[in-house]
Amino acid sequence: MKARVSWILQEEDAKEQEEVATNELLRLIKPTFWNLNREGNADVDIEVGFEQFMMSVAEHTKEDLNTITTFKFYTLLKHINKKQSDA
């Protein structure tokens, strides 16, 4: 952030500092794979996670999950979690 501000203010060697800071931040970020053939790809993880939520709601309610609204789904999920933590 400091390097970015220096660069905006056009301080000497600020561009190089900004590049170093950006590269350091990028090294900390775990890449997300969208290739369906790779282990741990994001698309499959997201879809499977959502389906697991759907199955959890289906186990605890009689809601028709094919017609449920997103708002109702997440409200039910929150209610189920609260109910389980209170038990």
Side-chain angles (χ1 to χ4, degrees), residues 1-8 13-25:
M1 180 87 98
K2 197 174 184 181
R4 180 58 111 176
V5 171
S6 295
W7 182 63
I8 291 169
D13 83 334
K15 180 68 175 162
E16 292 79 23
Q17 290 177 27
E18 193 262 339
E19 282 182 28
V20 168
T22 299
N23 288 337
E24 286 177 19
L25 286 173

Side-chain angles (χ1 to χ4, degrees), residues 35-46:
N35 182 340
L36 295 177
N37 297 316
R38 289 185 74 172
E39 183 71 28
N41 80 66
D43 196 28
V44 170
D45 289 346
I46 290 167

Side-chain angles (χ1 to χ4, degrees), residues 17-70:
Q17 290 177 27
E18 193 262 339
E19 282 182 28
V20 168
T22 299
N23 288 337
E24 286 177 19
L25 286 173
L26 289 173
R27 272 189 228 112
L28 297 175
I29 299 169
K30 182 180 174 190
T32 302
F33 299 107
W34 291 96
N35 182 340
L36 295 177
N37 297 316
R38 289 185 74 172
E39 183 71 28
N41 80 66
D43 196 28
V44 170
D45 289 346
I46 290 167
E47 291 298 324
V48 168
F50 181 73
E51 289 297 322
Q52 287 173 328
F53 279 148
M54 295 287 280
M55 292 169 79
S56 177
V57 169
E59 285 177 9
H60 295 90
T61 69
K62 295 186 187 313
E63 294 289 329
D64 179 3
L65 298 182
N66 293 320
T67 60
I68 194 170
T69 64
T70 304

